[in-house]
């Protein structure tokens, strides 16, 4: 299933994309895609619904983050061999873990608002994992059983904040609108192998990133298992799994986002995002 939340910010409703690609309303069935509605049991009940019986949603409504009330947004750094090479950094022996503030989360097509005094805002297409049930100290072999599904994410990063202003990556990663997620959550039964997905990102129609999840240093199963040994993963938690080569920081000359740029992000089977970059309204 392809599950969505649609409507104005703060007033999203649950829906799904039917087999014909049409948005249908689920609000008569569930109130929202909260943690208790993305368990295997709850998703199994949704899968049995006659989709044709659900009301069609007219027009082209805004899409929100496909999961409500996310408790943690966790990200993995330097997780593609080609990205480690382009940044001239040694491939890590263990996953590099950092947190993105949940306040950065936004819909897949919402505007990217540049942070105040930003100089080096960059892009990163990433496969997102959404946790479906509580995970503590789980093995790699069972890890994917704890996944509700997958989604497209853009791990936007202000490189000056991240790299040049101290040692903590988080402050360059958690700015408002730096966490577009969606357009939908694709349940794991539709993704036969999360390590065989094409990923891409364009800026103003020019292909900047073009990779495949087979080139991850640490697989989705490894990441979920690894994280569960350092923190309890809760239903609805989102994990961004790293980006392939092609980020603006590593280009010569470097390229960073500016007002008016259009960013298109896509992952095979998981849908596309489209964001317009805007100036911060507080910027003088």
């Amino acid at each position: 299933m392809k599950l969505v939340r649609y409507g104005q910010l703060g007033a999203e409703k649950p829906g799904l994309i039917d087999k014909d690609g049409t948005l249908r309303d689920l609000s008569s069935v569930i109130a929202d895609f909260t943690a208790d509605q993305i368990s295997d049991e709850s998703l199994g009940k949704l899968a049995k619904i006659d989709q044709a019986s659900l009301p069609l949603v007219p027009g082209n409504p805004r899409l929100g983050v496909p999961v409500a009330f996310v408790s943690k947004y966790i990200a993995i750094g330097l997780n593609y061999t080609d990205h480690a090479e382009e940044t001239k950094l040694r491939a890590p022996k263990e996953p590099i873990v950092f947190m993105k503030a949940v306040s950065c989360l936004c819909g897949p097509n919402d505007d990217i608002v540049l942070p105040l005094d930003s100089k080096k805002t960059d892009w990163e297409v990433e496969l997102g994992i959404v946790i479906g049930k509580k995970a503590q100290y789980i093995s790699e072999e069972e890890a994917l059983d704890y996944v509700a599904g997958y989604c497209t994410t853009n791990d936007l990063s202000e490189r000056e904040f991240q790299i040049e202003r101290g040692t903590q990556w988080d402050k360059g990663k958690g700015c408002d609108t730096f966490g577009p997620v969606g357009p939908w959550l694709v349940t794991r039964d539709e993704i036969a192998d999360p390590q065989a997905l094409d990923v891409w990102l364009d800026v103003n129609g020019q292909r900047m990133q073009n990779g495949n999840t087979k080139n991850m240093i640490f697989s989705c199963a490894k990441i979920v298992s690894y994280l569960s040994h350092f923190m309890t993963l809760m239903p609805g938690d989102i994990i961004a799994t790293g980006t392939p080569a092609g980020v603006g920081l590593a280009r010569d000359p470097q390229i960073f986002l500016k007002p008016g740029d259009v960013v298109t992000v896509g992952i095979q089977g998981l849908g596309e995002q489209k964001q317009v970059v805007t100036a911060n309204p507080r910027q003088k």
Side-chain angles (χ1 to χ4, degrees):
M1 292 181 292
K2 294 180 174 65
L3 308 177
V4 305
R5 296 173 68 244
Y6 70 95
Q8 295 303 307
L9 180 65
E12 292 93 344
K13 296 180 179 181
L16 59 77
I17 306 298
D18 67 18
K19 58 183 176 59
D20 297 319
T22 304
L23 174 58
R24 293 184 178 268
D25 179 54
L26 270 173
S27 56
S28 64
V29 180
I30 59 172
D32 205 348
F33 283 119
T34 51
D36 58 326
Q37 295 295 340
I38 56 172
S39 67
D40 285 352
E41 180 181 2
S42 295
L43 292 177
K45 291 179 181 178
L46 288 181
K48 294 177 182 178
I49 293 174
D50 177 13
Q51 296 184 357
S53 70
L54 296 170
L56 293 169
V57 179
N60 187 29
R62 170 189 174 271
L63 298 179
V65 179
V67 182
F69 310 118
V70 176
S71 69
K72 291 191 290 298
Y73 190 5
I74 311 160
I76 306 299
L78 288 177
N79 195 34
Y80 280 71
T81 53
D82 55 358
H83 180 49
E85 291 168 359
E86 73 171 351
T87 55
K88 298 180 174 57
L89 295 171
R90 183 177 301 174
K93 294 182 179 179
E94 293 191 35
I96 295 173
V97 180
F98 61 93
M99 308 295 287
K100 288 178 73 78
V102 293
S103 55
C104 83
L105 288 166
C106 62
N109 304 316
D110 291 347
D111 289 349
I112 297 167
V113 181
L114 295 175
L116 192 64
D117 299 325
S118 169
K119 298 179 178 65
K120 298 181 179 181
T121 292
D122 203 350
W123 56 81
E124 293 188 2
V125 56
E126 306 204 6
L127 171 64
I129 298 171
V130 178
I131 297 298
K133 60 182 177 180
K134 185 177 178 180
Q136 294 173 297
Y137 300 106
I138 60 174
S139 69
E140 188 172 340
E141 290 71 27
E142 63 182 329
L144 295 187
D145 293 337
Y146 288 77
V147 172
Y150 303 91
C151 54
T152 302
T153 75
N154 186 359
D155 175 23
L156 289 148
S157 311
E158 213 299 343
R159 301 301 191 185
E160 185 192 39
F161 298 177
Q162 176 191 357
I163 299 169
E164 300 173 35
R165 298 180 63 177
T167 59
Q168 301 301 316
W169 284 15
D170 302 44
K171 61 192 175 190
K173 296 284 191 172
C175 304
D176 292 349
T177 74
F178 271 26
V181 176
W184 38 69
L185 166 65
V186 179
T187 52
R188 73 170 188 270
D189 59 294
E190 291 200 9
I191 304 300
D193 183 1
Q195 305 308 144
L197 303 177
D198 291 331
V199 302
W200 63 90
L201 183 146
D202 297 347
V203 178
N204 300 327
Q206 179 180 352
R207 185 60 43 98
M208 295 295 188
Q209 292 185 276
N210 193 19
N212 188 285
T213 56
K214 69 183 179 182
N215 294 320
M216 282 185 184
I217 297 169
F218 305 106
S219 69
C220 293
K222 174 64 177 180
I223 290 167
V224 172
S225 171
Y226 183 85
L227 290 174
S228 78
H229 285 71
F230 296 96
M231 63 189 83
T232 299
L233 299 176
M234 301 299 294
D237 285 352
I238 300 173
I239 305 167
T241 57
T243 198
V247 299
L249 175 72
R251 292 180 174 270
D252 186 15
Q254 293 179 333
I255 304 173
F256 298 111
L257 295 173
K258 61 186 184 303
D261 285 345
V262 177
V263 182
T264 306
V265 189
I267 299 181
Q268 181 182 355
L270 302 181
E272 288 195 354
Q273 307 177 348
K274 187 175 183 179
Q275 299 120 20
V276 176
V277 181
T278 66
N280 193 294
R282 298 188 180 188
Q283 193 74 51
K284 296 181 179 179

